[in-house]
Amino acid sequence: MTAAPLAAAGTPMVRRFRRRASPGAVGLALAAPTLCIFAGLVAIPVASVVVTSFTSWTGFDISGIGWLGIENYAGLLTDPIFLKAFANTLIFTVATTVLLNAVGLGLALLVNTRAHGTAFLKAVLFLPVLLSPVIVGLMWSGLLRGVGGGLNQLLGFLGLIHQPVFWLGDGRFALAAVIIATVWQFAGYDMILYYAGLQNVPDTLLEAAELDGARAWEKFLHVVLPALYHVMSVVALLNVIGGLRIFDIVYVMTRGGPSRSTEVLATYMYEQGFQLNAMGVASALAVVLIVLAIGASALRLRVLRHV
Amino acid sequence: MGSITLKGVGKVYAGNTVAVNNVDLEVKDGEFVVFVGPSGCGKSTLLRMIAGLETITSGEITIDGQVMNDVSPRDRDIAMVFQSYALYPQMTVRENIAFALELRKFSRDEIKRRVDEAARILDLSELMDRKPRQLSGGQRQRVAMGRAIVRNPAAFLLDEPLSNLDAKLRVQLRAELGRLHARLGVTTIHVTHDQVEAMTLGSRVAVFSRGTLQQYDTPHALYHAPANIFVAGFIGSPAMNFLEASVVGGGASLTLALGPTRLTVVPRSGGKELSVGDRVIVGVRPEHLDWQPAGGSGLPARVELVEHLEPESFIAVTPADRSVVIRTADDFIRGAAIDPAEEIRLEERMLAVRVPASRVPPPKTEISLVIDAARVQLFDSATGAAI
Amino acid sequence: MSELALPAAPRKFRPALTIGSLLLSIVVLTPVLWIFSLSLKTSRETLRPGLLPTDPQPGNYVEAWNRYGLGQLFLNSAMVTVGSVIVTVMVSMSAAYAFTKIPFKGSEALFSLLLLGVVIPPSALVVPLLIEMRYLGLYDNRAGLALVYVAFGLPISTLVFRGFFATIPGELVEAARLDGCTELQILWRIIAPMAKGAIATVVILMFLANWNEFILALVLLRNAGGFTLTLGINAQLGQYTSDYHLIAAASMIAALPVFLVYLVLQRQFERGVAEGALKS
């Protein structure tokens, strides 16, 4: 052995023989904060709404709790307001999901042409995504107000109406107004997702289709669309889950009115829990919401497996 | 200082897959040992167990006499070079090399001195402020070495450190590794699947197969006295030829029948006693075979393929007598019995012969194969162990 | 690569596409522009027809700021958002690290359970959360609200980080262990600097969600002094309908910081939002 400059130099490394903690324990310790916070503020509340949904609790005296079994659920089934809220939630969810998917995909295709002006459109479309639904609701309330509202002014100017229409105060229009406001807010979000999906369409496939003499729409149908199935399933699921839990925008624009025409499950739950103190009923409604949301994601997984 | 001892070391994964089976092995201070074997033989797993990256399910690992089974990797005082080099992408070369010293709270001056020294030894001084992605494969490999040597550890563990390099660079860096070891004298365990790397670098080589240590010896001994048919077949390229023979005459020297040909060999003293009628495997390396024109005294054979190389070429031949059975080391991994379904493949097996390029026989001709009886090795026909 | 994703529009269509894009942009911008116009009108003018304010009142913004205490609301929103985002990133990063690089007994099952949280609607849990936060003494408390935001942000954040960490080679982590890192040092000194993109994604997702969140704040905060911006603006609705111009001004003020951050970080925002959704 000739010169061994490093071996000879300085202090050798101190060797300490600490017993090591088992790797499993270290892993658990690192995951523990997440697991504890999640358990405490999500898992336990989920368990507790399930339990509360079988009781008559009013939110005050614990001793006054009575066990009702499935009575709260049975009560919901004969409650016309619940049925209305359930129907509205379904209409809202289906309408926003269909519209957002169509609008989102269409806008993504437009933006993806990279024609002049599309970059600006892309940025503009994303602005509403950044807004709180409270502010979105407020904007649309302003636009749809009966007196001084922008839409009435436009329609009046065009000579289409002669009396102000109270869009949000009219049971025929209120739900549609909330749906349009929601589509306006999230169209840019879905556009971005579809746009990201379009970037992943394999060029080689398109070139192959081109060589095979495929027409533009054939390429879209047979190459582009299949490549977007995954994105489509994500967008659909997000829209469905978002639709089921819708609360803020309805609460701000209509509070569920007029005469329950925009009542949805979450607003009805809020009313039962915080205005009527019927915690048992509110919890039963919460369980319905949770079951629907989990059901939707399970359904997506099933469908994806078959694609 | 750094001697490493393994006593009955084993690892069984959940589901009872045995990755490493009862390995006993000692690496002396300053020694360069190579673990070699085909992929999946457990050599890397064993190395990672020594490093503390894998748990041990049985046995004991000691470094300098201290039991390491439950010591965490960072306290084992060993440095490792990974196949992918595992350089920290966000750090410069200097930061990569200094990182371990920094974590161990070395003084700024000491870190600088050691890092500069390592850079000088490995010829990295020009590259110290680059990021790993700006380096070539060979440069990355040297940085990984630098990261190991600054620590002046008890041992280097090198996990396939050259296998991500192209052939030419591999040979060059192989030589550099050898020089580095000669200079630093640090105990080194080098894992590779390349037997040439093993033979050229190792002062001793441990050959593994299916989680079991097959033989642990000097390269010379592995080549000339393989412990079993697996080692004999694994070391040397092309691989040793194996032929089934039967004992037809006993005494101080045995007479073996290879089809019509007789071969007289002197068995190793102290080996298993063989008597007339026993089956035995005759191992003969390609360089210990030669040929004569057909009609000679050797084993009649037919030239199937000729691989022209200079200065020595290889020819592949099949025995003319179909009763001569050619075996391979693989037969013994699966168990000694030959699967009947393999019969056809058996027919296609060939013997490799190394001949000077100047006297290559023409292809598709009949020749007489001469076996250098003094250099053959005998193996048990059932177990594959050397006799 | 994407030029091909759709058959490049024939040249003759391009002007039409441009005009269409600009028209659509105007349609999409209309509600924002309408509110902006409203925010500059006088109180009386809000009820009268007219697209543009006849006499723009920038003073509306000052008045809205003062009357609604927007300074305090801003501060509250900032505290709750920044606090919850920082905690979410740190906590979910270490959990994702554990889930990918140091799996432990039951870690798969626990992760699946955590994933269920992605679809649980926060609105469904307001009743038990209210009771629990009262019990913990965290009701009507900004830190308590931030903690609830953390809880609902953890599933998606952990998922995003886990997706990124899975692409980091295990040998890098092992090299760091041998170099002498503790697991926490590996996380902060090796992994975190590599994960800047994933951190940006999570920060953007959580910032948007928590800055704009409404129902949890509505249920868990009572005292107006602790209100977040969305809550404070909502509280003005329906009270003084004649002050619509001021509410409009307040909305513009509330939206401004998010717009500004978006203008600077447009690319990261779009990528972050897309990754947050598509990686799940």
Side-chain angles (χ1 to χ4, degrees):
Chain A
M1 195 168 77
T2 53
L6 287 167
T11 40
M13 294 214 176
V14 185
R15 222 182 279 172
R16 295 150 298 170
F17 295 113
R18 274 173 294 180
R19 277 186 76 82
R20 90 170 118 184
S22 93
V26 177
L28 188 59
L30 284 173
T34 290
L35 295 174
C36 290
I37 294 173
F38 181 76
L41 295 174
V42 180
I44 289 176
V46 168
S48 114
V49 280
V50 173
V51 172
T52 312
S53 73
F54 294 109
T55 69
S56 64
W57 195 37
T58 54
F60 300 106
D61 190 358
I62 297 218
S63 61
I65 298 179
W67 187 258
L68 291 181
I70 60 161
E71 201 173 294
N72 287 328
Y73 292 97
L76 284 180
L77 286 179
T78 55
D79 175 357
I81 302 173
F82 167 77
L83 295 176
K84 181 77 180 159
F86 192 82
N88 283 340
T89 305
L90 285 189
I91 293 169
F92 180 89
T93 302
V94 170
T96 51
T97 302
V98 170
L99 286 172
L100 278 169
N101 266 284
V103 171
L105 178 56
L107 289 170
L109 290 171
L110 173 58
V111 167
N112 199 44
T113 60
R114 307 277 206 284
H116 290 291
T118 54
F120 179 69
L121 175 64
K122 184 160 154 246
V124 165
L125 279 170
F126 205 70
L127 284 185
V129 177
L130 307 170
L131 293 174
S132 167
V134 173
I135 291 175
V136 172
L138 216 138
M139 286 181 170
W140 281 86
S141 302
L143 206 61
L144 299 176
R145 277 207 300 175
V147 179
L151 184 62
N152 280 346
Q153 285 192 40
L154 178 71
L155 295 176
F157 177 76
L158 294 174
L160 293 173
I161 55 170
H162 303 288
Q163 294 290 319
V165 179
F166 291 82
W167 300 102
L168 295 179
D170 188 322
R172 289 172 299 171
F173 304 125
L175 187 59
V178 175
I179 289 171
I180 288 170
T182 305
V183 170
W184 177 79
Q185 175 164 31
F186 293 110
Y189 183 79
D190 290 5
M191 177 272 296
I192 286 289
L193 298 188
Y194 274 119
Y195 181 78
L198 281 174
Q199 310 315 306
N200 295 331
V201 176
D203 287 352
T204 47
L205 272 184
L206 285 168
E207 284 159 6
E210 186 115 21
L211 289 176
D212 288 344
R215 269 178 280 241
W217 64 270
E218 285 173 326
K219 274 197 280 185
F220 178 73
L221 210 60
H222 298 299
V223 180
V224 178
L225 216 48
L228 291 177
Y229 280 156
H230 175 75
V231 180
M232 201 173 280
S233 79
V234 171
V235 174
L237 178 68
L238 290 173
N239 289 156
V240 168
I241 291 176
L244 293 174
R245 68 168 66 161
I246 192 69
F247 175 84
D248 332 33
I249 211 165
V250 174
Y251 185 83
V252 172
M253 284 175 77
T254 65
R255 303 262 150 138
S259 60
R260 308 280 181 195
S261 64
T262 56
E263 196 75 75
V264 289
L265 289 176
T267 53
Y268 191 43
M269 182 199 71
Y270 185 80
E271 181 187 329
Q272 288 288 338
F274 296 100
Q275 281 151 21
L276 306 177
N277 288 319
M279 294 302 182
V281 178
S283 296
L285 281 159
V287 171
V288 171
L289 273 178
I290 293 171
V291 168
L292 286 175
I294 292 178
S297 59
L299 189 68
R300 171 195 171 232
L301 287 181
R302 257 192 105 103
V303 171
L304 259 195
R305 210 170 298 150
H306 291 292
V307 173
Chain B
M1 275 299 287
S3 61
I4 299 169
T5 313
L6 311 183
K7 276 192 206 125
V9 171
K11 180 166 184 78
V12 181
Y13 285 113
N16 287 334
T17 322
V18 180
V20 173
N21 182 21
N22 197 27
V23 171
D24 290 301
L25 184 147
E26 199 210 342
V27 180
K28 296 197 189 89
D29 184 29
E31 199 173 9
F32 196 122
V33 166
V34 179
F35 290 180
V36 71
S39 63
C41 70
K43 58 190 190 298
S44 275
T45 308
L46 189 60
L47 190 79
R48 292 164 54 79
M49 286 157 79
I50 296 170
L53 298 172
E54 299 268 356
T55 53
I56 301 168
T57 43
S58 62
E60 198 176 87
I61 293 177
T62 58
I63 298 178
D64 282 342
Q66 302 267 12
V67 178
M68 288 288 151
N69 289 21
D70 287 318
V71 177
S72 70
R74 68 171 179 276
D75 294 329
R76 291 191 185 199
D77 194 19
I78 35 116
M80 190 156 166
V81 172
F82 293 88
Q83 182 172 2
S84 66
Y85 317 132
L87 302 179
Y88 310 123
Q90 73 274 20
M91 298 185 195
T92 62
V93 169
R94 179 184 302 282
E95 288 163 346
N96 262 284
I97 295 176
F99 189 57
L101 301 178
E102 216 178 281
L103 287 169
R104 287 177 166 78
K105 308 259 186 285
F106 277 58
S107 75
R108 197 179 278 264
D109 293 344
E110 176 69 7
I111 292 176
K112 183 170 167 25
R113 206 186 57 71
R114 287 202 187 198
V115 171
D116 288 346
E117 180 72 38
R120 200 178 53 73
I121 293 173
L122 292 163
D123 199 17
L124 287 169
S125 307
E126 305 294 307
L127 308 172
M128 294 306 272
D129 295 317
R130 296 217 192 149
K131 294 275 176 71
R133 64 170 178 277
Q134 299 166 302
L135 303 178
S136 69
Q139 290 168 337
R140 286 179 204 182
Q141 205 280 335
R142 292 215 302 274
V143 176
M145 282 306 299
R147 206 165 59 173
I149 69 175
V150 274
R151 287 178 44 195
N152 185 22
F156 293 146
L157 306 182
L158 314 179
D159 188 6
E160 304 253 11
L162 304 177
S163 57
N164 276 0
L165 304 170
D166 64 57
K168 197 174 155 200
L169 206 52
R170 197 180 314 153
V171 173
Q172 186 191 330
L173 286 177
R174 194 172 73 201
E176 261 181 45
L177 266 187
R179 277 201 298 277
L180 199 62
H181 178 254
R183 177 171 187 177
L184 302 177
V186 176
T187 313
T188 303
I189 302 179
H190 178 119
V191 163
T192 180
H193 61 270
D194 177 359
Q195 50 117 354
V196 179
E197 222 170 282
M199 300 294 276
T200 49
L201 282 172
S203 58
R204 279 194 288 172
V205 175
V207 183
F208 290 88
S209 169
R210 313 193 116 202
T212 306
L213 177 58
Q214 303 291 327
Q215 189 171 3
Y216 179 42
D217 218 326
T218 61
H220 185 84
L222 290 181
Y223 190 80
H224 294 284
N228 57 38
I229 202 164
F230 175 81
V231 176
F234 190 79
I235 302 292
S237 177
M240 184 184 260
N241 301 297
F242 302 105
L243 294 153
E244 257 188 40
S246 52
V247 181
V248 291
S253 59
L254 292 171
T255 306
L256 305 177
L258 272 171
T261 315
R262 295 291 177 272
L263 198 65
T264 307
V265 300
V266 182
R268 263 195 297 183
S269 56
K272 182 182 160 188
E273 289 293 323
L274 290 168
S275 46
V276 173
D278 283 351
R279 303 286 289 170
V280 68
I281 308 284
V282 175
V284 53
R285 296 203 178 272
E287 53 270 41
H288 301 146
L289 287 172
D290 200 357
W291 69 281
Q292 295 168 345
S297 61
L299 184 67
R302 177 182 159 80
V303 180
E304 303 285 355
L305 291 170
V306 174
E307 227 176 279
H308 275 290
L309 276 176
E310 297 292 344
E312 286 182 311
S313 300
F314 298 99
I315 58 175
V317 304
T318 47
D321 186 331
R322 290 294 162 168
S323 69
V324 177
V325 179
I326 300 172
R327 305 294 300 269
T328 70
D330 285 351
D331 296 340
F332 291 83
I333 286 178
R334 279 192 295 265
I338 295 171
D339 185 346
E342 296 269 316
E343 277 313 321
I344 299 165
R345 300 250 317 272
L346 213 57
E347 298 281 301
E348 292 169 355
R349 286 180 176 175
M350 292 182 275
L351 299 172
V353 184
R354 173 183 264 173
V355 292
S358 55
R359 48 180 305 267
V360 173
K364 306 293 173 198
T365 52
E366 304 295 329
I367 56 166
S368 172
L369 204 56
V370 181
I371 298 171
D372 182 351
R375 314 289 286 270
V376 303
Q377 281 154 358
L378 300 184
F379 300 93
D380 188 302
S381 66
T383 64
I387 296 174
Chain C
M1 60 184 255
S2 44
E3 212 68 52
L4 266 175
L6 238 211
R11 206 153 263 286
K12 58 179 175 177
F13 288 159
R14 298 220 135 208
L17 291 175
T18 301
I19 293 168
S21 298
L22 294 179
L23 284 178
L24 270 173
S25 302
I26 292 168
V27 171
V28 172
L29 277 177
T30 301
V32 182
L33 296 175
W34 175 257
I35 282 289
F36 181 61
S37 156
L38 208 57
S39 73
L40 292 172
K41 289 180 175 178
T42 60
S43 172
R44 212 172 305 156
E45 217 180 351
T46 60
L47 296 174
R48 285 203 225 112
L51 213 56
L52 298 174
T54 46
D55 177 20
Q57 309 278 322
N60 286 349
Y61 282 80
V62 180
E63 199 183 339
W65 181 276
N66 291 331
R67 185 179 307 171
Y68 302 148
L70 288 185
Q72 183 62 43
L73 296 179
F74 245 106
L75 190 66
N76 294 338
S77 270
M79 287 195 308
V80 170
T81 305
V82 171
S84 62
V85 170
I86 290 175
V87 175
T88 306
V89 168
M90 304 213 320
V91 167
S92 63
M93 235 173 98
S94 74
Y97 174 63
F99 284 130
T100 45
K101 299 297 180 216
I102 346 176
F104 48 91
K105 208 174 172 189
S107 61
E108 286 290 316
L110 285 171
F111 182 72
S112 313
L113 200 67
L114 189 64
L115 270 195
L116 267 188
V118 175
V119 297
I120 304 273
S123 54
L125 300 184
V126 285
V127 170
L129 277 174
L130 171 68
I131 294 154
E132 195 173 339
M133 295 313 265
R134 272 202 180 126
Y135 180 78
L136 294 171
L138 291 171
Y139 173 65
D140 197 20
N141 179 321
R142 281 159 290 186
L145 181 65
L147 191 64
V148 175
Y149 286 174
V150 171
F152 282 100
L154 285 175
I156 185 73
S157 309
T158 309
L159 189 65
V160 170
F161 280 128
R162 183 173 172 269
F164 178 76
F165 292 172
T167 67
I168 294 180
E171 289 193 345
L172 210 58
V173 172
E174 292 172 344
R177 277 183 198 143
L178 287 166
D179 266 350
C181 282
T182 62
E183 296 301 324
L184 275 180
Q185 282 173 322
I186 296 177
L187 187 54
W188 297 122
R189 300 197 58 175
I190 307 293
I191 306 269
M194 294 176 70
K196 282 183 193 135
I199 293 174
T201 296
V202 170
V203 167
I204 286 167
L205 285 179
M206 291 298 111
F207 170 66
L208 278 183
N210 298 352
W211 182 266
N212 292 331
E213 204 283 332
F214 179 62
I215 187 170
L216 291 169
L218 179 68
V219 172
L220 296 176
L221 296 177
R222 185 179 55 186
N223 189 335
F227 275 10
T228 56
L229 265 174
T230 50
L231 209 49
I233 289 174
N234 173 67
Q236 306 307 326
L237 283 175
Q239 284 193 18
Y240 313 94
T241 25
S242 61
D243 290 338
Y244 218 88
H245 59 305
L246 294 185
I247 295 173
S251 304
M252 294 307 294
I253 293 174
L256 198 65
V258 197
F259 280 180
L260 287 181
V261 180
Y262 172 66
L263 279 183
V264 179
L265 298 174
Q266 187 188 347
R267 200 173 292 255
Q268 284 88 332
F269 259 69
E270 290 171 2
R271 205 199 52 178
V273 165
E275 272 184 6
L278 295 178
K279 290 273 167 73
S280 46

